[in-house]
Amino acid sequence: MSSPIADIGLIGLEVMGRNLILNMADHGFKVAVHNRSATKVKPFLDENPPSVLGPGGALIGFHEPEDETERLKKFVAAIKRPRRIVLLVKAGPPTDATIDKLIPLLEKGDLIIDGGNAQWEDTIRRDRTLSDKGLLFCGSGVSGGELGARFGPSLMPGGNPAAWEILKPVWTAIAAKVDAKTGKPIEGAAPGKPVTGGVPCTTYIGPGGAGHYVKMVHNGIEYGDMQLICEAYHFMRDVLALPTEQMASIFAEWNTGDLDSFLIEITADILRQKDSVTGKPFVDIVLDAAGQKGTGKWTIGSALDLGVPAPTMAEAVFARNMSAQKAERAAAAKVLKGPHMGDKSHSVGSGEHDWITCVRDALYCSKICSYAQGFALMQAASKANNWGLKLGEIASIFRGGCIIRARFLQKITEAYQQRPDLPNLLLDGYFAGVIDRVQGNWRAVVARAAVQGVPVPAFSSALSYYDSYRSERLPANLLQAQRDYFGAHTYERTDQPRGKFFHLDWPEPKRPQIAV
């Protein structure tokens, strides 16, 4: 090739990579494509000729020779400098191996963008390694799944600010867009016809691993969101005995109000779906054993490291772990008994509560607490790593494209715009007012679930988080006394300034006499 013609390159032709390539081409970028296996390159090029791409867009790929090193050289040579090369390969060692292959082929000032679900500590390491070689690196979260990648994801780039300036024209073009006034996602993108106008759902997150850290917390919040929705479904199914079709309508109705979100929308769609084999509701033939990729676990690990309470996200992870123990649960179900309520336990609207409204309010209040935990975690990580995260901007880029996109993210954006140093979302006037107004319904759902033996770990943990956060005095005074008693770990006094520690010379504990 006589001269470089590609505006950007992308390595990795799995689902996310293919769709991101087409998104970039629709926005007029010429994209060089590469895959470790040459057999995937030609079919992809054949399936996507210039006639199906946006004006000015083009795909450039090399499927010969078979030797990957030679194909990689052609791929790199086809990209204009400073080169922008996006990696969408498996996280961990495969990402490192791909970077190692690229380094000898790149020149000073070229940029590698890791768009996978990388651990943020790995991103920091890679950034330092490439910086020492005169290369730029950007770790960018990419959220939105297959459709998001194709028509507009939420993008969370971190790393050297100079890297962001090089990447910015592409990322702002391909990101999801929201209305500047309402914050609502702008819909209507189609192959070859991208959305124009609006505010892009991307912004520079911060240095080092900040971008991938925020993506990790996004996924932790996503775990919480999904589990909370499942608990609302479980309560309506097993406590209220509602048919699946009615639950679909309820979720669809909720999606027109404060709970308006991508996950609520697809839940209604899922509950409407019929199984083509049995004719039963599709959800009823899906095995109740959930998988996970690990980002939720990473989020909880970081929360533990930073000492930030994140119980609702943690319970969501543990709920998946519990679901995976399907055979053990099936055996336990034959041995362990729950409460005996009889047929009279099922009631939708009797007594003092409209239970469907109660479930809606419990879901919304728990959702507020889950997001409060996630944003508190990002705030703590920002302080610990000197990232300078702007939580209002982060909330704003979650409004479109990503899996957790929801109407109430606009309220989170506004909360941090009014008070950038807000220590917890629960202290914002809007969110405090919502919970104050409907917390009775939330408590009723958690209480009834406990009485009837239906597990709601995320609802319950969110309520305990709220009650703990609003408690001026918790029983940790007794806990500290216990620690001082058995381990001389010291304690602080209520009548002395914080930071002064004391120890009591406790009497030797009495031990039971053992008859010989």
Side-chain angles (χ1 to χ4, degrees), residues 35-369:
N35 194 72
R36 183 175 59 85
S37 171
T39 58
K40 290 189 176 183
V41 178
K42 188 175 186 302
F44 179 67
L45 298 177
D46 291 343
E47 291 166 7
N48 297 284
S51 60
V52 304
L53 305 176
L59 306 185
I60 302 143
F62 306 94
H63 47 87
E64 293 180 351
E66 283 296 319
D67 180 68
E68 188 196 0
T69 301
E70 293 304 313
R71 287 188 293 108
L72 196 60
K73 288 180 181 178
K74 291 184 177 181
F75 164 80
V76 170
I79 305 169
K80 300 173 187 175
R81 296 207 61 225
R83 299 181 180 95
R84 298 173 288 202
I85 298 176
V86 181
L87 308 184
L88 276 170
V89 298
K90 189 174 181 180
T95 297
D96 285 322
T98 305
I99 291 173
D100 289 342
K101 293 175 185 176
L102 282 171
I103 287 174
L105 307 177
L106 300 180
E107 300 173 73
K108 185 176 180 179
D110 287 348
L111 167 63
I112 295 175
I113 306 104
D114 179 9
N117 271 331
Q119 287 198 355
W120 62 278
E121 296 97 333
D122 287 345
T123 299
I124 292 175
R125 170 178 55 80
R126 291 166 183 150
D127 186 21
R128 290 172 178 166
T129 299
L130 292 171
S131 178
D132 291 342
K133 300 179 183 297
L135 301 173
L136 294 171
F137 185 73
C138 171
S140 179
V142 178
S143 178
E146 179 180 354
L147 287 178
R150 181 66 183 89
F151 298 114
S154 175
L155 299 166
M156 296 149 251
N160 190 321
W164 168 237
E165 290 305 316
I166 295 172
L167 180 61
K168 187 175 181 179
V170 180
W171 251 219
T172 54
I174 69 171
K177 306 297 190 299
V178 296
D179 184 90
K181 293 183 178 179
T182 66
K184 293 181 179 180
I186 299 175
E187 310 287 354
K193 297 178 180 179
V195 165
T196 57
V199 179
C201 290
T202 186
T203 188
Y204 175 67
I205 300 296
H212 274 140
Y213 189 91
V214 168
K215 175 56 165 59
M216 177 192 76
V217 176
H218 162 284
N219 284 21
I221 293 172
E222 178 186 312
Y223 272 55
D225 251 357
M226 295 174 73
Q227 178 62 26
L228 290 168
I229 291 170
C230 288
E231 290 179 17
Y233 155 76
H234 195 181
F235 188 94
M236 290 191 289
R237 185 192 70 185
D238 286 12
V239 175
L240 304 183
L242 299 183
T244 305
E245 294 80 2
Q246 185 177 350
M247 287 189 282
S249 297
I250 289 168
F251 276 103
E253 181 182 349
W254 287 352
N255 199 49
T256 64
D258 291 333
L259 285 170
D260 173 16
S261 67
F262 172 71
L263 287 170
I264 294 289
E265 178 185 355
I266 68 169
T267 299
D269 290 343
I270 291 167
L271 293 174
R272 290 191 188 103
Q273 181 67 39
K274 297 292 184 181
D275 175 42
S276 60
V277 177
T278 65
K280 296 178 180 179
F282 173 75
V283 72
D284 290 347
I285 59 91
V286 176
L287 187 69
D288 59 322
Q292 54 187 308
K293 293 292 183 67
T295 47
K297 181 180 70 174
W298 297 349
T299 305
I300 304 312
S302 180
L304 291 170
D305 290 341
L306 291 169
V308 176
T312 306
M313 292 187 289
E315 287 292 353
V317 174
F318 292 140
R320 294 196 189 193
N321 294 341
M322 180 64 79
S323 77
Q325 297 180 349
K326 176 63 177 177
E328 193 171 338
R329 287 189 292 112
K334 298 175 181 178
V335 178
L336 305 178
K337 304 301 180 185
H340 300 282
M341 303 297 295
D343 293 337
K344 294 180 180 180
S345 64
H346 297 305
S347 173
V348 175
S350 63
E352 61 179 313
H353 297 296
D354 172 354
W355 285 103
I356 294 173
T357 299
C358 287
V359 177
R360 180 200 64 196
D361 292 342
L363 179 55
Y364 193 40
C365 290
S366 299
K367 181 184 180 82
I368 290 169
C369 287

Side-chain angles (χ1 to χ4, degrees), residues 362-432:
L363 179 55
Y364 193 40
C365 290
S366 299
K367 181 184 180 82
I368 290 169
C369 287
S370 183
Y371 279 67
Q373 294 163 33
F375 276 79
L377 179 56
M378 288 189 282
Q379 190 173 56
S382 180
K383 291 177 181 177
N385 296 283
N386 296 313
W387 285 337
L389 298 185
K390 297 178 181 178
L391 299 181
E393 290 186 8
I394 290 171
S396 71
I397 69 171
F398 288 168
R399 293 177 300 181
C402 70
I403 302 301
I404 66 170
R405 61 186 182 268
R407 178 188 297 189
F408 97 133
L409 280 160
Q410 180 65 23
K411 295 294 185 182
I412 297 179
T413 298
E414 292 169 3
Y416 285 111
Q417 285 174 342
Q418 293 168 9
R419 188 179 170 187
D421 63 345
L422 184 69
N424 192 293
L425 279 173
L426 294 178
L427 299 178
D428 173 70
Y430 169 77
F431 295 115

